[in-house]
Each structure stands twice: as structure tokens, then as C-alpha cells.
Amino acid sequence: MKTENKAVDIDRNRGDFAYPEVHIRDAGRGLSEKTIHYISDVKEDPDWVREFRLRGLKTFLEKPLPTHWASKDLEAIDFDKIRYYLAPGSGAKRSWEEVPEDIKRTFERLGIPEQERKFLAGVEAQFDSEAVYSNIKKAVGEQGVIFVGSTEGLKNHPEIFRKWFGKVIPIGDNKFSALNSAVFSGGSFIYVPPGVKVKHPLQAYFRINAESFGQFERTLIIADEGSEVTYMEGCTAPKFETVALHSAVVELVALKGAKLQYITVQNWSSNVFNLVTKRGLAHEDAEIKWIDCNIGSRLTMKYPGVVLKGRKARGEVLSIALANNGQHQDTGAKMIHAADETTSNIISKSISIGTGRATYRGLVHVPKHLKHCKNNTECDALLINSTSRTDTYPAITVRGTGNAVQHEASVSQVSSEQIFYMQQRGLTKAQAMSLSVNGFVNDLVRQFPMEYSVELKRLIELEMEGSVG
Amino acid sequence: MKSRSQSARIALYLKPLFMNELRVENLHVAIGDQQIVRGLSLAVPRGEVHAIMGPNGSGKSTLAKVMAGHPDYHVTKGKITMDGEDLLALEPDDRARKGLFLAFQYPSEIPGVTIANFLRAALAARLPEGEELEATDYYAKLYEKMELLGMDRSFTSRAVNEGFSGGEKKRTEILQLAMLEPKYGVLDETDSGLDIDALKTVAHGVNTLRGSNIGILLITHYQRILNYIVPDHVHVMVQGRIVRSGGKDLALELEERGYDWARAGADEPVLTR
Ligand SMILES: Nc1ncnc2c1ncn2[C@@H]1O[C@H](COP(=O)(O)OP(=O)(O)OP(=O)(O)O)[C@@H](O)[C@H]1O
Ligand SMILES: [Mg+2]
């Protein structure tokens, strides 16, 4: 992929601000069938969507919190206090001028849409529950590429949307996918026609503005045969005292020979629970690559996966998680091999600072009857100061002969001696720490598109400045 | 407005309040409840090279690290100043940016961070906010200094000290000294681990940097390096004190007579200069 060598100019340090709320649509606090009907009425859902939501609610209520294996901190979420739907009351604008003033100011402070002009093929901006702006470059639209919000997608393109929606990640996959299925709003719908190679990335930007809010975007991307597309998402929220919830579902479908790359850089404030389900379905000879960078949040639980459904399909997860003081990054990857000659690659790097905690959970599954499958898993942890902790749970089940798995794990420390050495050369403690962290993630970041590696580097610097205070 | 000649004349009457020197006065350093440095005094003016010689465990590295502000050591008494400014009140990185450089006896490895990026970050940290390093100038200087020290250019893309041989690490320390151009350089056993050819190259590098702008404190066990970097003064350190000071010949005498000789009759700390 060729992109301009220019940094994305988003100053995430300035993400911590909020304008007064401008919502006309508000489902109130708490979750019941009434909430679902409110959302469905406001969004004028077709019946099948309303039913889908109700099934989601039922499953959500039935499923227990996964505290038997995951963090007990999940119990801090009071589902009765969360606000599940907030919207300004008008649809997404195609022209930036039409976006309401307050919202426009928010995104302008975050550097959007200046960056659209720079190197993106299209942008969608979501403010609380709904997309407020979405636009793709004319040339891209003319190739038949669809890039709209999920609501618009299900209404205007039902023939493609319905075929794949909820198929990669069923309602009952986990408690939070069920919750998302019940109250989803916003997110992107993308369709790339056969053979179309979208040169520049498409980007969505998710912003939580309201307090005690739950953002439940739903993204569905379909890369038709032989097509190529890169999607990038960025997220921020202001820091409120109360808990905010971000629980997205992202489904990717790469049809025969398609290449789909999904890049996330999240920088949530430390009151956000970030519980996201992401999975892709790779058909024959297709390639799905997740690049996932998690910075911030109180607790993140996220394990992007690829189901390698067709022969020679390839799946990759490259992830970086940074757990600062008081934060828990519970991240990992899932690779489900379901055809011969499929290959998967997982590289996970985590950094724990102070009381921050990073957990890696992996799942690699290769059933007995498959031949010539390969997996490579590397997880490296970096600890900065002694109270940090890191856990690795790499579940690898590879059966049968002729399948190859390679697993490597390492834990390293940034010692006070190293920090002192760097300080002696004139770097501040924060600069020394970010240099070590950048050194640790360097070989991985080199594989990211330039814009993102530059931005990531800056985010790490900001995070380190905060951590030495 | 004063004319230029007027202000020049005024300057004539102003005596400096302090020497341009790195000065240690009656320094006591403890780690835990163990006293390691006990009443050490020393002054290295800019433009001079001083050598400290001393047996293993006499506290030479401790002195060097305390000067640089290592957090493990506790200064229980005494002062360290640089051009009159109290160093002990400053963070290690402030001391470094103000012109103090320590070539470590055991340099740390910084995985994943290349020498080029590391030095660039170190130089950038010395610039006023908003100013940036000019990449072409930077590389020109880097390559020039590497050539001076006989280092292959491929080193720039290797991670700092990672997998380096002992000698390569020492050379890299001197490369950093050359790039950062400090006012004072403390070189802790830069000679150990260097073969004879490397020693000559590194000595040549240091001699090239030598001049009125820099004061150098050279810590070593052996007289050998002093044949190549000829010191203005030599101090002998035993058990946390300077027990003898003299000219360059003191090193030769010490080599001949050993540390016991230096120790004998030197129960009281010697105040130099
Ligand atoms: N961090 C530390 N913890 C405990 N003891 C220390 C520490 N640093 C130094 N010491 C002790 O202080 C004494 C002086 O050590 P130092 O490294 O300063 O000696 P040196 O003169 O540099 O020796 P060498 O010539 O072997 O390098 C030694 O007994 C050493 O064990
Ligand atoms: Mg020593």
C-alpha cells in the first residue's frame, strides 16, 4: 500500500474535553425491551433488525459476566446506569459544513477532517451513538465502493448487509457481543466490489462525548473477490468520573483472494471499559490482517480473530497493548484454522507500567484432519518497574501431522540502570521510557503504515509523560 | 546603550566568582550503611585532564556515578559543583544537558534503539523547544566522529550496546562523548577491555577532543592508557579518599611501587589544588 509520508495530525492529548450535550434522542438510563423499542423506533429499523435486537437482549440477560476467567473488575459496570443511545437527531452529513457546530468543533480539535484531505480515501465520524459525518472521495465511490454508517448500510444495501451481518460473530458469541447486538448503533458498513483495490485507507473516528455513556458501534466490512482495502479506526473519550462502556462488534469478510487490513489505535481515557469483539472470515487465498494498538481504558478485553475458512487463507494479528498505572489490558488473538494450507501469524507486544497489568490470551486451533497448516505466535512483554505484572495464556491446540506451530514468549524489564544510562545522555525519565518502549515495539511498528507508526510513537510519548508525572 | 569598548572595559574589572571547573569538596557517599567515599576532594578545571587511579573497590565508579546523579547512592556530606553550580540539586538528565558526561565502566544495553536514533534523541533533548536537528548535518557529524574512532558506519543501525563486545561498548561511549560535546567528561575505565590497537584509536579520539573547552577525569587501574592520553594531574584513590596527588610521573611511580606505597603515610585525606 502506498500512502503519503505525512503524519496524521491528531493530538490525542487534547482528547480530554467535552462540549455540552446536544442530544435530541436519548433512550435514558438502563436496559430493557423498552430501550430496544425506543432505539428501533428512532432508527426506523426494519422488523428483522428489531427482532435481532430483542434476541440480543435476551441472550445478554441470560449470559453471566465472564468473571470466572476474566477480571472481576467487570462487576464495576452498572448496566442500569449506562445510557445506551444518544444522538443529535439528524443523520450523517456528507459535507463538513452541515455538521452541527459543537460536534464540528469537537472533531476539529481532534484534527478531523484535516487528515481526510491529507491521505484518506474516506472518513466517517461518530459522535456518541450516531455517525455525524461520512464521506468518501468521489473517485473511490465511482469504483462502486460503499462506505456508510451501519444504519444506512442495512437500509440501503440489505442484499449484501443481511447476508453477512451477525454471521461472523453470532449474537451469543459472548455477553458483550449480545449486548452490542441488542443496542448497536453507528459503526461502518463497507463493501468493496470484486477486483477493486482501494489505494488509500478508509477511516472512522469514534468519539464518546457524554457521561456514563455506552458506545456500541457495529462494523461490517466485505472485501469481494480479489479486492483490497485498509480500514483504520481511532477512538477517544473525555475523562469523566463515571464508568463509560465501549462495546463494539466488528465483522470482516474477505472473499476469495481479497486482502483486508484493519488498523485500530485506541486511546481511551481511564474510565472506559473497552469490551470489543472482532473477527474476520477469510475465504480461499484471502488475507485478513488486524493491527491493534490499545492504549488507555480502565479494562480492555479484546481478542481479534480470523477464521481461516478457505484453502491457503492467511490471518495475522499484530498487537500492542500499553497498560499504564491502574489499567488492565487483557488482549490477545484467535486463529481458527478450518482449511488445509492455511497460515496464521500472531505477534503481541505488551508494556506494563507501574501498577498496570497486561494479559495475553491466545487461541490457535488446528483440527486433526487438516494438512499443511502453519501458525507462528510470538508474545513479548516489557515491564517498566517492579509492580507491573504480565500473564500469558497461550492456548494452542494443534492436532494432526504435517501442521507446524511455533511459539515464543519473552518477558523483559526496563531496569533503573537503563533509565539512568539514558538520563545521563540528557533524556528525561519520560523520554527515556518512551525510547525504551519504542525500541521494544519498533520491529513490529515498522510493519504498520507510516502515518500510524508516527502517531503511535507520539501517543506512547504522551502516555509516558503522564506516567512519571 | 553602552559602547562595545565600554563593556569590554567593565569586563576587565569583573573577576569570575568561580573557576570553570568540576569540583568535589569533602564528599562522603554511602550505600545502605556502608561508607564508600569518605571525604574526597578534587577539582578538574576545563582544559585539563586528570587521572584517578585506584585499586578495585576503592570507590572510583561510585564517585563517577554520584557525579552523574545515580539514584542508588546517598551523599551524606560534601558538595559537587560544575562551574559553580550545585550539581547535587539537579536531576541526572539536567546535569547531562548542562554539560556533564559519564562514559560508563559497564554501559547499559538499550534493546531496539539504534545508536543513530539514540544520539539523535540525546542531541534533540539539548535543543530549545520547537527546534529540530538538521538530519544531514547530524549524519555528517556522526560519520565523522565514527571515522575518528575507527567505527564502521554499520554500527549506526545497531541497537545501543546490544550484543556489542566489551571493546565496542567502550568505543561507543567515546563516540557519544564526541557527539555530545560536554564541558566535562568522566571516563570510567574506558581502557579496560580494549586491545592495544583499539586503545590507541580511542586515545587518539580523546586527544582530538581535548582542548580548552573540556575537562576530563580519567578513571583507570593501569598506567598504560596514560602513555597515550597524558594527564596534567594524577590522583591516587584508596578506600574512598585521594591519598596522593601529583604530576604525570606519579602514575609511573605508582606502577613501580604499588598501592601499598600510596596508602602508607596518607591516613589524612589530601586536599588537591
Ligand atoms: N550498588 C551497590 N550496592 C552495594 N555495594 C556497592 C554498590 N556500588 C558499589 N558498591 C561497593 O562499593 C565499593 C566501591 O565500588 P566501586 O564500583 O565504586 O569501586 P571501583 O573503584 O570502581 O572498583 P573497580 O576498579 O573494580 O571498578 C565496592 O566495595 C562495591 O562493592
Ligand atoms: Mg569501577
Side-chain angles (χ1 to χ4, degrees), chain A residues 17-29 38 42 82-91 100-104 106-107 125-132 185 206-215 238 240:
Chain A
F17 63 90
Y19 285 107
E21 290 180 29
V22 285
H23 303 110
I24 294 169
R25 312 286 194 196
D26 182 349
R29 288 176 197 270
Y38 180 88
V42 168
I82 300 279
R83 301 196 278 176
Y84 291 85
Y85 184 86
L86 290 170
S90 55
E101 205 48 46
D102 288 14
I103 297 177
K104 199 157 74 181
T106 299
F107 284 110
Q126 178 166 341
F127 193 77
D128 292 336
S129 295
E130 292 290 0
V132 289
S185 182
F206 300 97
R207 171 74 178 169
I208 292 181
N209 195 63
E211 195 167 354
S212 296
F213 176 68
Q215 191 170 56
F240 291 118

Side-chain angles (χ1 to χ4, degrees), chain A residues 417, chain B residues 31 34-37 54-63 65 70 72-73 105-106 188-189 219-221 237:
Chain A
E417 231 26 72
Chain B
I31 186 152
Q34 192 194 348
Q35 282 290 330
I36 296 169
V37 175
N56 290 127
S58 55
K60 304 181 298 298
S61 296
T62 303
L63 172 67
K65 286 197 235 172
H70 195 289
D72 287 356
Y73 299 91
Q105 183 177 4
Y106 304 109
D188 192 357
E189 291 197 23
I219 296 173
T220 181
H221 290 293
M237 182 171 177

Side-chain angles (χ1 to χ4, degrees), chain A residues 415-429 431 435-436 438-440 442, chain B residues 69-70 93 96-97 100-102 104 108-109 111-113 118 121-122 125-126 161 173 176:
Chain A
S415 65
S416 54
E417 231 26 72
Q418 284 168 311
I419 299 282
F420 177 67
Y421 183 81
M422 290 185 266
Q423 278 187 288
Q424 209 304 304
R425 300 306 184 235
L427 302 171
T428 62
K429 214 173 214 175
Q431 286 169 337
L435 204 60
S436 313
N438 277 312
F440 173 68
N442 215 0
Chain B
H70 195 289
D93 51 300
R97 288 192 303 270
L100 181 69
F101 182 91
L102 169 60
F104 287 73
S108 289
E109 302 188 355
V113 180
F118 184 60
R126 285 160 169 77
N161 295 324
E173 293 295 287
Q176 295 179 55

Side-chain angles (χ1 to χ4, degrees), chain A residues 300-333:
Chain A
T300 287
M301 286 173 62
K302 197 201 299 177
Y303 323 96
V306 183
V307 179
L308 301 152
K309 188 171 182 277
R311 211 174 61 91
K312 289 193 165 165
R314 297 177 298 282
E316 189 161 27
V317 174
L318 308 180
S319 72
I320 292 172
L322 199 159
N324 212 332
N325 283 308
Q327 301 175 346
H328 185 180
Q329 300 284 359
D330 194 321
T331 58

Side-chain angles (χ1 to χ4, degrees), chain A residues 52-193:
Chain A
F52 182 89
R53 289 182 187 282
L54 288 167
R55 268 188 286 139
L57 176 67
K58 191 163 171 286
T59 312
F60 170 70
L61 295 173
E62 280 164 11
K63 275 191 182 292
L65 280 174
T67 42
H68 58 288
W69 59 267
S71 170
K72 296 255 178 304
D73 196 27
L74 287 171
E75 283 160 7
I77 308 170
D78 186 344
F79 291 97
D80 294 332
K81 290 226 172 81
I82 300 279
R83 301 196 278 176
Y84 291 85
Y85 184 86
L86 290 170
S90 55
K93 303 294 189 253
R94 291 279 179 269
S95 128
W96 192 242
E97 279 61 47
E98 292 168 62
V99 174
E101 205 48 46
D102 288 14
I103 297 177
K104 199 157 74 181
R105 265 191 292 160
T106 299
F107 284 110
E108 274 168 2
R109 277 180 74 164
L110 294 163
I112 298 158
E114 288 109 277
Q115 52 163 323
E116 176 187 2
R117 288 178 218 129
K118 281 190 192 149
F119 74 99
L120 298 171
V123 167
E124 188 193 355
Q126 178 166 341
F127 193 77
D128 292 336
S129 295
E130 292 290 0
V132 289
Y133 173 73
S134 98
N135 190 26
I136 51 170
K137 294 219 163 113
K138 206 163 151 249
V140 181
E142 277 165 3
Q143 290 178 295
V145 175
I146 301 168
F147 178 31
V148 293
S150 68
T151 310
E152 209 178 315
L154 69 87
K155 276 185 198 151
N156 300 348
H157 311 278
E159 66 297 339
I160 323 171
F161 192 94
R162 245 187 119 161
K163 185 169 172 197
W164 297 107
F165 180 75
K167 298 293 181 343
V168 188
I169 300 172
I171 292 173
D173 186 79
N174 64 76
K175 188 169 175 80
F176 299 101
S177 64
L179 176 61
N180 176 283
S181 302
V183 295
F184 75 90
S185 182
S188 308
F189 170 68
I190 293 170
Y191 171 77
V192 186

Side-chain angles (χ1 to χ4, degrees), chain A residues 382-458:
Chain A
L382 183 70
L383 304 179
I384 302 184
N385 98 36
S386 54
T387 56
S388 307
R389 70 180 274 200
T390 178
D391 314 283
T392 305
Y393 306 99
I396 300 182
T397 53
V398 179
R399 306 216 165 73
T401 49
N403 294 316
V405 197
Q406 199 178 329
H407 178 241
E408 278 173 38
S410 77
V411 179
S412 44
Q413 288 258 14
V414 177
S415 65
S416 54
E417 231 26 72
Q418 284 168 311
I419 299 282
F420 177 67
Y421 183 81
M422 290 185 266
Q423 278 187 288
Q424 209 304 304
R425 300 306 184 235
L427 302 171
T428 62
K429 214 173 214 175
Q431 286 169 337
M433 279 162 67
S434 43
L435 204 60
S436 313
V437 171
N438 277 312
F440 173 68
V441 298
N442 215 0
D443 54 340
L444 191 54
V445 172
R446 255 195 291 258
Q447 300 178 46
F448 297 3
M450 177 69 107
E451 298 78 14
Y452 262 68
S453 47
V454 172
E455 195 193 351
L456 188 70
K457 206 175 146 205
R458 204 175 39 234

